[in-house]
Amino acid sequence: MSKYFDNLMTGLNEAVAIERGEIIGRKTIYEIQPVKKYNNIQIKKIRTSVGMTQNLFANYMGVSCKTVEAWEKGTNHPTGTACRLISMLENKTFEALPFIKKVSPTP
């Protein structure tokens, strides 16, 4: 048959064997860390450490430049998803995101 069919049958046979207690099923457990909060000084430091302007950072975050300015002034604070994205910048894992493309500078 096809490779797809073979993989499907293998999975189904494993599921039946697990249900019968013939083999122990595999499982992965993920622990989600609490959302880290960032203050205005941390945000600016992280943004500049990766070489982003406020405009580029705003595009990365999906917010306006005014929002970034407010975060860096301490007027407003990022929450939830925004903090997760900032965390990815802080940990230098942002290049793995599908919407980030590394481009070579033009001479």
Side-chain angles (χ1 to χ4, degrees), residues 4-22:
Y4 175 76
F5 178 80
D6 292 341
N7 288 339
L8 184 61
M9 283 305 297
T10 299
L12 289 172
N13 288 331
E14 272 186 33
V16 169
I18 291 167
E19 184 64 27
R20 290 181 180 160
E22 296 167 359

Side-chain angles (χ1 to χ4, degrees), residues 69-86:
E69 288 174 17
W71 288 348
E72 290 187 359
K73 286 180 186 175
T75 308
N76 291 335
H77 304 283
T79 59
T81 307
C83 288
R84 294 284 191 204
L85 285 172
I86 293 170

Side-chain angles (χ1 to χ4, degrees), residues 70-106:
W71 288 348
E72 290 187 359
K73 286 180 186 175
T75 308
N76 291 335
H77 304 283
T79 59
T81 307
C83 288
R84 294 284 191 204
L85 285 172
I86 293 170
S87 175
M88 294 182 88
L89 281 179
E90 182 180 33
N91 295 306
K92 310 284 193 261
T93 57
F94 61 95
E95 288 184 358
L97 296 171
F99 58 89
I100 302 289
K101 301 290 181 217
K102 193 172 195 173
V103 293
S104 300
T106 54

